[in-house]
Amino acid sequence: LYQNELEALYPLEEIKTFFNWLCEAYLQLKPFQIQQDLDLVIEANSLLKFQSALNALKVEKPIQYILGSAHFYGMEFMVNEHTLIPRPETEELVSWILKDVSKSDNLNI
């Protein structure tokens, strides 16, 4: 369902990633656990969450806003429509700065 509904908007690998993240968030299951448990029954409230997420993805709402969290530099941050989503490029920049700046340097920010 997710692939059919989203293929015009997102690449296939991104759709798979979205679905996996939603399964982990809503069902507390890893992708391999879902594939192994063919008799898995999903409760109605979880199905509603998946449908709501699908509707939000259709209007290109970022997955981080849907899940309410984003990962940055090994930490998880709560996000919503009023916060910026940390970008991988920013994480690279922070890493570069931390490596480049000596701990003994006095930084004035």
Side-chain angles (χ1 to χ4, degrees):
L1 176 66
Y2 265 64
Q3 184 176 338
N4 292 338
E5 295 284 333
L6 299 174
E7 65 187 358
L9 297 169
Y10 303 99
L12 178 58
E13 286 305 312
E14 194 167 7
I15 296 168
K16 288 179 182 179
T17 299
F18 291 160
F19 185 75
N20 291 341
W21 287 359
L22 292 168
C23 287
E24 288 184 32
Y26 297 157
L27 304 175
Q28 289 72 49
L29 294 173
K30 301 282 186 197
F32 76 90
Q33 292 172 304
I34 294 168
Q35 292 173 349
Q36 288 177 342
D37 189 356
L38 299 177
D39 297 324
L40 178 68
V41 176
I42 300 175
E43 296 179 12
N45 63 337
S46 293
L47 287 174
L48 288 174
K49 288 180 184 179
F50 275 96
Q51 186 61 51
S52 176
L54 178 61
N55 292 337
L57 287 167
K58 284 181 178 180
V59 295
E60 299 183 44
K61 183 175 184 177
I63 189 73
Q64 295 89 340
Y65 289 158
I66 295 167
L67 295 173
S69 66
H71 295 274
F72 181 79
Y73 212 74
M75 296 177 278
E76 188 172 353
F77 290 88
M78 293 174 54
V79 296
N80 62 33
E81 291 82 4
H82 305 289
T83 58
L84 294 174
I85 298 169
R87 303 292 308 152
E89 297 84 1
T90 308
E91 191 169 21
E92 289 177 30
L93 181 62
V94 169
S95 182
W96 174 73
I97 290 169
L98 291 174
K99 287 178 186 174
D100 194 52
V101 175
S102 169
K103 293 185 187 224
S104 63
D105 290 345
N106 290 327
L107 295 178
N108 292 319
I109 300 175

